[in-house]
Amino acid sequence: MADVIQYGPARLLPGEQIAITTNPDTEPFWQAAKEHRLTACQCAKCRHFRMPPTAYCPECSSRDKNWPVLPGTATVFSYAICNKNPKTGGDFIYVPVVVDLDGAPGARLNANVTGCDAEDVRIGMKVTVEWTAIQDGWVLPNFRAASPGA
Ligand SMILES: [Zn+2]
């Protein structure tokens, strides 16, 4: 059996390295994040969730949107372990994840996960939202392992 690589603590990419752009379809998500509320774009007509937010519902073409406040918990759908800071090129262990958002069936979000060692991240792992200040006063949802080392 091969040895398991020990990467050590999963870090979050530094917020000062992260900039976003918004548009009228995505801005409500980011405005809610500024207030530490996790939301997802939901069609106001057929209730289908879609992320990232787009102008029209892919199911029924409605332009009407709801932005329900979600519990802030999620489940890791997929992940990768990275060992270089993409901005500086220096050694830096972080784990980009795609998570399924609780309370928003079908809605997924890209983020980083922290609160455990990188090698302990698993598909199906429960995580909770953690807020990271980024450039221009925006706030990015990241996620923390619900039970460290689990
Ligand atoms: Zn719809």
Side-chain angles (χ1 to χ4, degrees):
M1 201 171 145
D3 290 337
V4 175
I5 297 172
Q6 302 291 312
Y7 295 97
R11 301 167 68 185
L12 300 176
L13 284 173
E16 63 269 19
Q17 292 184 1
I18 300 170
I20 61 160
T21 57
T22 66
N23 64 45
D25 295 311
T26 61
E27 186 151 348
F29 173 86
W30 293 108
Q31 288 293 353
K34 256 186 189 175
E35 298 162 13
H36 294 192
R37 287 181 292 113
L38 186 63
T39 185
C41 181
Q42 183 187 36
C43 175
K45 188 175 169 198
C46 79
R47 309 293 177 192
H48 176 78
F49 280 97
R50 63 185 189 275
M51 287 294 286
T54 51
Y56 295 91
C57 174
E59 296 295 315
C60 75
S61 301
S62 172
R63 293 189 73 125
D64 298 330
K65 299 179 185 74
N66 290 334
W67 298 94
V69 177
L70 304 178
T73 53
T75 304
V76 173
F77 171 76
S78 188
Y79 69 96
I81 297 174
C82 298
N83 62 6
K84 296 287 180 195
N85 182 308
K87 207 87 167 183
T88 68
D91 290 344
F92 192 95
I93 300 295
Y94 71 105
V95 183
V97 289
V98 179
V99 298
D100 282 312
L101 298 173
D102 288 350
R108 290 184 175 138
L109 198 61
N110 297 306
N112 289 174
V113 69
T114 191
C116 65
D117 286 347
E119 64 271 21
D120 291 334
V121 175
R122 295 285 183 275
I123 290 170
M125 190 170 93
K126 299 294 181 191
V127 292
T128 57
V129 71
E130 172 157 316
W131 302 101
T132 302
I134 60 173
Q135 290 183 21
D136 305 318
W138 295 105
V139 175
L140 178 74
N142 278 309
F143 288 89
R144 175 169 290 274
S147 47

